[in-house]
Amino acid sequence: MSEHGVHDEAPGEAREARLAAYDTVEEAVRKQLSKALGGPRGVVEAAIPTIGFTVSWIVSHQLRASLIIGAGLAVVLLAVRLVQRSTVQFVLNSVFGIVIAAFFALRSGKAADAFLPGIIYNAGYAAAMLLSIVVRWPVVGFLIGSVTGDPTAWHRDRDIVRLCSRLTWLLLIPCLVRVAVQYPLYLAGHVGWLGAAKVVMGWPLQVAALAAMVWLLARGRTPMETATGASES
């Protein structure tokens, strides 16, 4: 009991409450993926600074001014979130991204280098997800663990591991496509095409991947008890 006379929620009770919110593993993964990706608004907010930077560069060819415009748009989005008292996590990701992009571009003096961190990030993310699939610990599985309160119980069920591997592939493929398209454009120094590719391969590609995930998740009805390891008792 707390000092105010109110019973504190025990860890076991909190875990049961999380599990009660989902009937199936597929439902839990679907909801957790939506949270992790920030929903439609989070995806749009990630694209706006890139659009501002690219359009400014195409019009003016002024690197510093273009970076200031991109960063300014990110700060405006952050201010809107703060005024609305909504989560700033995804806008902060955008702010952080534009700061890293500015560091790379200003250090070399080349506008194309503003896109290099994103290419490196996608390549690294794809490699990490591929490794997780190869060793049969797909990263999507840990979304289930965040719901059940046991980060590894889901791994005992082969069907869940197989499902999570397929979902991880659907997250991995957009990263590979981005690298395959954007890296040659980066080597050629095509800033305008790089900006367009980053925007087009941002939320549209992510939405396509999410649609494929929703379709896959809609086909299964795995009870949440399976992911908790209760079935092994």
Side-chain angles (χ1 to χ4, degrees):
M1 181 178 292
S2 69
E3 62 180 353
H4 298 292
V6 178
H7 286 280
D8 294 325
E9 188 176 42
E13 293 175 349
R15 180 171 180 268
E16 290 300 323
R18 289 197 303 270
L19 293 176
Y22 307 104
D23 294 324
T24 65
V25 169
E26 289 78 11
E27 181 185 1
V29 173
R30 189 164 58 246
K31 295 289 181 62
Q32 292 299 97
L33 280 172
S34 179
K35 291 179 182 178
L37 295 171
R41 181 176 178 178
V43 175
V44 170
E45 286 173 336
I48 289 177
T50 298
I51 294 172
F53 168 80
T54 304
V55 171
S56 177
W57 168 257
I58 291 173
V59 172
S60 68
H61 279 73
Q62 297 294 318
L63 177 58
R64 191 175 296 273
S66 300
L67 287 170
I68 290 173
I69 289 174
L73 288 170
V75 171
V76 169
L77 293 171
L78 177 59
V80 171
R81 284 279 193 174
L82 290 172
V83 169
Q84 295 177 340
R85 296 184 178 181
S86 59
T87 178
V88 298
Q89 173 187 349
F90 303 102
V91 180
L92 286 177
N93 290 343
S94 182
V95 172
F96 182 72
I98 198 71
V99 168
I100 297 298
F103 172 78
F104 273 72
L106 291 174
R107 186 181 64 172
S108 67
K110 298 178 180 178
D113 280 352
F115 298 92
L116 183 57
I119 295 172
I120 294 173
Y121 170 83
N122 277 281
Y125 200 54
M129 286 191 290
L130 179 59
L131 178 61
S132 77
I133 294 171
V134 170
V135 300
R136 296 189 59 78
W137 282 90
V139 295
V140 172
F142 294 98
L143 293 179
I144 298 173
S146 69
V147 174
T148 64
D150 186 332
T152 61
W154 59 272
H155 191 258
R156 302 181 190 120
D157 189 280
R158 291 182 179 180
D159 289 337
I160 294 181
V161 173
R162 190 178 299 112
L163 168 67
C164 292
S165 293
R166 292 172 180 171
L167 291 169
T168 302
W169 270 114
L170 291 175
L171 284 178
L172 187 159
I173 290 172
C175 294
L176 289 179
V177 171
R178 291 176 189 128
V179 173
V181 173
Q182 294 175 25
Y183 187 60
L185 292 174
Y186 164 77
L187 292 177
H190 294 315
V191 177
W193 284 110
L194 265 173
K198 184 168 183 176
V199 172
V200 170
M201 294 183 175
W203 67 267
L205 199 57
Q206 204 65 59
V207 167
L210 282 174
M213 289 178 186
V214 169
W215 175 80
L216 182 61
L217 290 168
R219 300 173 64 196
R221 299 287 298 176
T222 308
M224 276 301 295
E225 289 80 2
T226 305
T228 66
S231 60
E232 294 194 349
S233 59

